[in-house]
Amino acid sequence: MQNSWMFLGIESLIVAVLLLGWYFGARRLNFNIHHLVVYTVILAHALVVFFWMIPTAQEISNWVFSNPIGNLRLVLHFGIGMVADILSIALAVLFIFRRDMPLSILRRARPVMITTLTLWVIAYGLGVVNLLLRYL
Amino acid sequence: MQGQLGEESELNAVFLYMGILDAYEAVGVELIGPDVLEEHVLPRMTYYVREFLPEIFSERADSEELTTELRRFLTEFRARVEDAREKGVAGAMTMEEIWELRAAIFGFESVFINILGDSAIKNYVLIRMADILSAYLPESLLDPQIPLKTKLESYAKYIQDNKFVGFARVSFGDDEISVAANRCEFSRIHDSEAYRNLDVRFCPWGMIASAIVAAHEGKETNLESSLFTTKGSVSKIKAK
Ligand code: HEM
């Protein structure tokens, strides 16, 4: 439980940095900031997923999936979060290969980035609600 | 889209666009010949206004007629700028007219790419353009006492305040200056079929910035590149 609050703090920081990176990086076309933020955030978040979210999910999965409708918030958090993670990693990999960021690719990647950011924030919101309801 | 631009900004905007057009034409005549506009640019311009603004121009089925209209527009526009220069105020300019100008500029750009090739553009055309365009800058941007940084920042603020772009920023690197413009009113052009070979397409906001640098430094200035995004661009400028 102690860990939960610590990881909540880390994830909150990650989301805050991601949003700042969007505002000061992407919207202002300051790609140094944008790139630094997304790559750092993806890595930091991967560590949290690996060391905390996956172990926790293993612990509670039997109980959650025995009643998926009753535990809809958890299932949604898990599903939406996974989609956001997969998209973010796909974007990161795509742009490692296309450092020149051609317009033809940006045009298709931009809606994906906006979707990723939105899903990320939604998954985070659900995660916070789940934790609060579980422990408070 | 079809709205009028703010009163005060109009005159400056008109001059700057006229400057880009004049600079292109001067370099076009110099390198391609006196009939560059008639033979090469107008046909492309006719094509581009249709592509950029289908809701207005596609209805005009007759290309000849549209070409005549655009030719007349360019002549009248020049007369209007002359007039404005004397009176100190520009007549109202609609977004539609600015789009026609943008199409003309785009036409010139395409002609240069097709006829002169990439390296001529980078090594000669853009340097000459910055030089010619600097004569069109407003007084405040020409004063040698004012530091370059202040000038470029006020330019960025100017295009942002007048809503040509949603956001503009200038930053200074070790040996280059970068000019970013996002959520640009004209970014619809980035969807154009012609926006393929982007190595030699340049953002007009970057061009104007490079003219400011050229005028300030009094030496050749090179617009190195414009990176185009969906709704904006980041241009890099190097003083030689
Ligand atoms: C977690 C992954 C990512 C998220 C959440 C994200 C988020 C965003 C958002 C929301 C925008 C739109 C900004 C706006 O116009 O309001 C954007 C733009 C952009 N991002 Fe990302 N991004 C991600 C990954 C990347 C990566 C890995 C790269 C390249 C290294 C990249 C390069 C860009 C570029 C070039 C733009 C400007 C696109 C345009 O306006 O055409 N993004 N990003």
Side-chain angles (χ1 to χ4, degrees):
Chain A
M1 153 149 194
Q2 200 70 18
N3 275 351
S4 301
W5 298 120
M6 182 181 83
F7 284 114
L8 175 65
I10 295 175
E11 282 293 299
S12 305
L13 193 67
I14 285 175
V15 168
V17 170
L18 191 59
L19 287 172
L20 288 173
W22 166 66
Y23 189 78
F24 289 103
R27 269 180 83 76
R28 290 161 179 245
L29 297 187
N30 197 333
F31 294 123
N32 290 343
I33 294 181
H34 177 68
H35 296 3
L36 180 67
V37 162
V38 295
Y39 283 108
T40 314
V41 155
I42 291 171
L43 270 178
H45 177 67
L47 293 176
V48 177
V49 171
F50 193 77
F51 287 109
W52 186 62
M53 290 192 195
I54 290 178
T56 315
Q58 275 169 348
E59 262 171 46
I60 61 175
S61 65
N62 278 343
W63 164 69
V64 171
F65 287 104
S66 63
N67 182 11
I69 303 297
N71 294 307
L72 196 59
R73 271 193 325 272
L74 276 168
V75 175
L76 282 178
H77 167 74
F78 176 72
I80 294 174
M82 200 160 70
V83 173
D85 284 348
I86 289 170
L87 288 179
S88 70
I89 290 166
L91 284 168
V93 172
L94 166 71
F95 282 108
I96 286 173
F97 288 104
R98 296 312 304 260
R99 276 163 198 266
D100 52 334
M101 304 192 292
L103 182 58
S104 52
I105 289 185
L106 285 186
R107 201 175 287 137
R108 271 173 273 167
R110 186 171 183 269
V112 179
M113 293 191 275
I114 293 172
T115 309
T116 307
L117 183 63
T118 312
L119 292 180
W120 193 307
V121 172
I122 294 173
Y124 166 77
L126 283 167
V128 174
V129 172
N130 288 337
L131 263 192
L132 293 182
L133 290 181
R134 193 154 82 165
Y135 290 120
L136 291 185
Chain B
M1 267 287 299
Q2 309 302 329
Q4 310 257 304
L5 292 175
E7 287 273 317
E8 316 129 25
S9 69
E10 244 160 51
L11 194 62
N12 288 329
V14 169
F15 278 148
L16 289 175
Y17 262 97
M18 192 69 230
I20 295 183
L21 200 63
D22 276 355
Y24 263 126
E25 188 161 355
V27 179
V29 168
E30 184 183 319
L31 296 180
I32 296 169
D35 48 7
V36 59
L37 183 69
E38 193 60 39
E39 294 227 328
H40 300 288
V41 178
L42 268 171
R44 287 175 171 87
M45 189 180 163
T46 307
Y47 173 80
Y48 290 134
V49 287
R50 280 216 176 114
E51 196 191 329
F52 299 158
L53 282 193
E55 66 272 28
I56 298 174
F57 292 106
S58 288
E59 290 156 20
R60 316 214 190 140
D62 186 11
S63 292
E64 286 284 310
E65 227 169 79
L66 183 54
T67 307
T68 311
E69 186 184 321
L70 292 172
R71 187 187 295 115
R72 192 173 56 231
F73 165 76
L74 285 179
T75 322
E76 279 173 9
F77 180 69
R78 272 171 208 283
R80 213 155 96 194
V81 172
E82 283 309 312
D83 194 42
R85 231 191 254 281
E86 277 165 28
K87 292 190 189 135
V89 279
M93 245 200 122
T94 60
M95 267 299 181
E96 186 180 323
E97 289 174 311
I98 295 201
W99 274 98
E100 289 177 319
L101 280 179
R102 188 67 186 85
I105 291 169
F106 209 71
F108 268 110
E109 216 173 45
S110 306
V111 169
F112 287 160
I113 291 173
N114 293 349
I115 298 179
L116 300 176
D118 301 7
S119 68
I121 296 177
K122 289 207 159 174
N123 297 325
Y124 185 76
V125 175
L126 285 167
I127 297 174
R128 281 282 290 142
M129 295 263 312
D131 197 29
I132 299 173
L133 187 55
S134 58
Y136 289 80
L137 298 174
E139 286 289 314
S140 60
L141 292 177
L142 291 173
D143 184 350
Q145 303 294 324
I146 300 175
L148 182 60
K149 192 164 187 290
T150 315
K151 286 180 184 170
L152 287 173
E153 277 163 2
S154 75
Y155 163 66
K157 186 170 177 321
Y158 166 80
I159 61 176
Q160 192 176 318
D161 287 351
N162 288 297
K163 308 225 160 36
F164 297 123
V165 298
F167 172 80
R169 167 178 62 81
V170 177
S171 45
F172 288 74
D174 286 341
D175 59 349
E176 65 177 21
I177 298 166
S178 95
V179 179
N182 203 9
R183 287 171 278 135
C184 172
E185 270 297 321
F186 307 107
S187 61
R188 207 204 276 198
I189 283 179
H190 300 185
D191 297 337
S192 164
E193 278 293 297
Y195 256 60
R196 287 251 172 91
N197 181 0
L198 289 167
D199 290 344
V200 283
R201 295 272 178 203
F202 292 88
C203 173
W205 301 127
M207 279 185 200
I208 296 171
S210 82
I212 297 173
V213 179
H216 184 85
E217 310 243 307
K219 57 183 177 187
E220 288 185 351
T221 298
N222 223 348
L223 185 54
E224 292 264 302
S225 62
S226 286
L227 172 94
F228 287 95
T229 66
T230 320
K231 293 192 159 32
S233 75
V234 183
S235 302
K236 300 229 176 297
I237 302 169
K238 262 198 175 110
K240 283 204 162 172

